[in-house]
Structure formats: structure tokens, C-alpha cells
Amino acid sequence: MIKKITLTALLILFLNGCNYQPIYSSKNVEFSIGKFQSSGDNKINKLLIKKLEIYKNDNLDIKKYNLNIDSKVNKNISAKDKKGNPTTFTLKIAFKIEIENSLGEKKLTEFEEYTTYENNDNKFELKKYENSIKRNMIESINENIILYLQNLNY
């Protein structure tokens, strides 16, 4: 028990000593997001927009972008057994995002994530697992979008 407390204390001191800050914190960003427009898969769009809404800011000193989001989810069977039943699926989530700055200039960019996963006989568990995969993929895409907007120079 004492080892756990000591280890925890050392970890806290280390993180404070090296000036740890979260990378994707909305406090230190140099941009804000004004409006969202979305088309495509509504569930996926809502998950992404919910993550991006923390970057809405009315500060006039920073760059403001409006985002037009178009999403697609594609689930395919990538392998079957001898009976023709699916054994492996491939899931692809793609976002086409049109970014408009305050001057009306527009840029179009795409963000995609792929994954494969095994089939499960329990369809309820399979659906839960698919939803978990989708959330993780959207989190990864969200991080890529934030990095892209941080480094965008126009």
C-alpha cells in the first residue's frame, strides 16, 4: 500500500515538475469554430460536432472557421467462412470538411479512419463493439482535425 502511495506521489510530482498540459485543451488554441453544417451520417456527425463544440469561442483576436462536414460510414464484409457467413468486417469512416475562414476563403480536406474486426455470434455485443470502435475512430479524427486547424495558415 505504501508503494502505491509513493508511486502516485512521484507521478504527480513528475507531471507537475515537467509542466504537463493536455495537448487538445481548448485553452491554448489559436482558432475558434463559428458555425457547423453537416450532411451524411447524422449519428457520426453529432458525435464529431459534440467534440468540436468546445472550440467555439467569441474571442475576436483569434482565427474563426466555419465547418461544413460531410460524413460517410462504410461497413463491408472482408472475409467469409466456408458456409458464406461473414467472419471479418472492415469499417471506414470518412469526413470531407470544407473550412471557411472569416474572409470567405474555403479549403476542402478529408479525414479517414479504417479498421477491421471479427464477427461475433451475439449481435447485441457486436453492435456495442461497433459503436465503441466508431467512437474511438471519431476521437482519432477529432484529434487530426484539431491539429489541422491549429496549423492552418490562411
Side-chain angles (χ1 to χ4, degrees):
M1 184 67 178
I2 293 175
K3 288 183 181 180
K4 288 183 181 179
I5 293 172
T6 306
L7 183 61
T8 304
L10 285 173
L11 183 63
I12 290 171
L13 286 174
F14 175 74
L15 289 178
N16 284 337
C18 68
N19 199 13
Y20 169 78
Q21 292 180 349
I23 295 174
Y24 302 110
S25 169
S26 63
K27 294 178 185 175
N28 298 325
V29 295
E30 298 173 3
F31 70 90
S32 70
I33 298 175
K35 296 179 193 172
F36 295 102
Q37 291 182 341
S38 63
S39 61
D41 190 297
N42 212 15
K43 275 185 171 181
I44 299 298
N45 288 341
K46 284 182 183 180
L47 289 172
L48 182 66
I49 290 171
K50 184 177 179 182
K51 294 197 174 292
L52 290 172
E53 279 187 338
I54 64 170
Y55 297 98
K56 281 191 164 193
N57 188 350
D58 292 331
N59 188 349
L60 297 176
D61 296 338
I62 57 178
K63 298 179 257 181
K64 185 173 273 190
Y65 300 118
N66 295 325
L67 303 181
N68 186 1
I69 301 168
D70 182 28
S71 64
K72 290 183 183 173
V73 177
N74 194 0
K75 177 183 167 184
N76 292 320
I77 298 170
S78 58
K80 294 182 180 183
D81 62 8
K82 291 181 181 180
K83 296 178 183 177
N85 298 324
T87 58
T88 308
F89 294 103
T90 302
L91 181 65
K92 174 186 171 185
I93 296 179
F95 287 98
K96 286 184 181 178
I97 300 180
E98 183 180 66
I99 303 164
E100 181 180 359
N101 68 7
S102 56
L103 301 174
E105 299 170 328
K106 296 180 181 181
K107 269 192 178 176
L108 183 65
T109 187
E110 283 191 46
F111 298 93
E112 294 180 344
E113 286 286 325
Y114 298 89
T115 191
T116 58
Y117 57 97
E118 299 292 320
N119 194 5
N120 189 342
D121 291 334
N122 185 338
K123 298 306 174 194
F124 177 72
E125 289 296 323
L126 180 64
K127 191 67 172 170
K128 277 179 41 177
Y129 184 62
E130 285 175 358
N131 289 336
S132 172
I133 291 172
K134 286 178 185 178
R135 283 192 302 274
N136 291 338
M137 292 170 76
I138 289 171
E139 182 65 36
S140 176
I141 290 172
N142 176 54
E143 291 171 2
N144 291 335
I145 291 170
I146 298 308
L147 287 174
Y148 183 82
L149 291 174
Q150 279 277 72
N151 297 319
L152 192 60
N153 292 321
Y154 86 101

